[in-house]
């Protein structure tokens, strides 16, 4: 069965630091990849998605992610985080028609 | 963009009663909707896939008779938690896929508390 792994459970950064959140999946076929963000007290929002084409995907709020097929990875990056980026981030994979989520990474940005 | 409306946002019920949660796609048709449960400090877990006009597909370990799913139209799916118990207290989220949008849109979630 397909699975999604997010190895960083809690990341604490200072403002202006660079961010990279890891995401690996286990499915070997064609996949659609997503990163979602859940701000405190709010519902899930789509940050970015990859279906095909350029493996470097740019999303909202300065986030980007790179699909590396050989590594089964889709890591999320942001060059300079802000306090407002404090949230929970979920990587998700759609391979067989439904969505599987990683465990989530809680990002805390200190002002 | 695609909008999914989920109601209620919060509900408190007594043990043994049933609770119905609605998930509506407001500006698109969704032949398939998904129901997730989010445990505290854990990720979303897919409970079931709701298919319009047919039976839902449940994930392993999810009780079909306890979590009743009905997808009677292309814009509405409902999840009914029957004979609720305190351990059913959780955050339930639905999502639907809008083929035009190319992704999955989530409802705002329902916080269920069983007392």
């Amino acid at each position: 069965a397909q699975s999604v792994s997010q190895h960083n459970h809690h990341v604490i950064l200072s403002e202006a630091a660079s961010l990279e959140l890891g995401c690996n999946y286990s499915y070997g076929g064609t996949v659609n990849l997503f990163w979602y963000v859940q701000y405190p007290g709010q519902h899930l929002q789509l940050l970015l998605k990859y279906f095909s084409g350029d493996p470097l995907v740019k999303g909202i709020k300065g986030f980007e992610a790179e699909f590396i097929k050989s590594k089964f990875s889709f890591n999320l990056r942001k060059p300079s985080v802000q306090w407002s980026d404090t949230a929970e981030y979920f990587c998700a994979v759609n391979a067989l028609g439904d969505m599987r989520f990683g465990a989530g990474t809680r990002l805390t940005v200190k002002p | 963009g695609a909008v999914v409306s989920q109601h209620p946002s919060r509900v408190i019920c007594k043990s043994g009663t049933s609770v119905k949660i609605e998930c509506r796609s407001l500006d698109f048709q969704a032949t398939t909707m998904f129901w997730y449960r989010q445990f505290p400090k854990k990720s979303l877990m897919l409970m079931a896939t709701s298919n319009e006009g047919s039976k839902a597909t449940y994930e392993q370990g999810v009780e079909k008779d306890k979590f009743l799913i009905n997808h009677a139209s292309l814009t509405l799916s409902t999840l009914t938690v029957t004979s609720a118990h305190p351990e059913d207290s959780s955050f339930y989220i639905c999502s639907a896929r809008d083929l035009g949008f190319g992704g999955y849109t989530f409802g705002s979630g329902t916080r269920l508390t069983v007392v």
Side-chain angles (χ1 to χ4, degrees), chain A residues 76-109:
Chain A
L76 180 70
R77 300 195 292 250
K78 185 171 184 178
S80 176
V81 295
Q82 300 173 314
W83 176 79
S84 58
D85 292 325
T86 294
E88 186 109 19
Y89 293 81
F90 293 93
C91 177
V93 176
N94 174 32
L96 297 172
D98 59 43
M99 190 86 91
R100 303 285 169 167
F101 286 82
T105 298
R106 181 174 297 278
L107 172 65
T108 301
V109 180

Side-chain angles (χ1 to χ4, degrees), chain A residues 15-65:
Chain A
E15 276 195 315
S18 64
L19 169 72
E20 180 160 4
L21 301 182
C23 174
N24 289 87
Y25 61 94
S26 64
Y27 187 67
T30 301
V31 293
N32 297 329
L33 301 160
F34 306 81
W35 274 98
Y36 286 88
V37 60
Q38 188 171 24
Y39 296 102
Q42 298 186 28
H43 58 88
L44 285 170
Q45 299 175 45
L46 179 67
L47 267 181
L48 47 80
K49 63 182 187 289
Y50 172 80
F51 281 10
S52 64
D54 189 343
L56 184 61
V57 180
K58 295 192 182 298
I60 62 172
K61 304 186 180 186
F63 286 92
E64 65 178 31

Side-chain angles (χ1 to χ4, degrees), chain B residues 85-96:
Chain B
H85 291 284
E87 56 264 32
D88 298 326
S89 297
S90 192
F91 193 61
Y92 295 87
I93 305 175
C94 69
S95 79

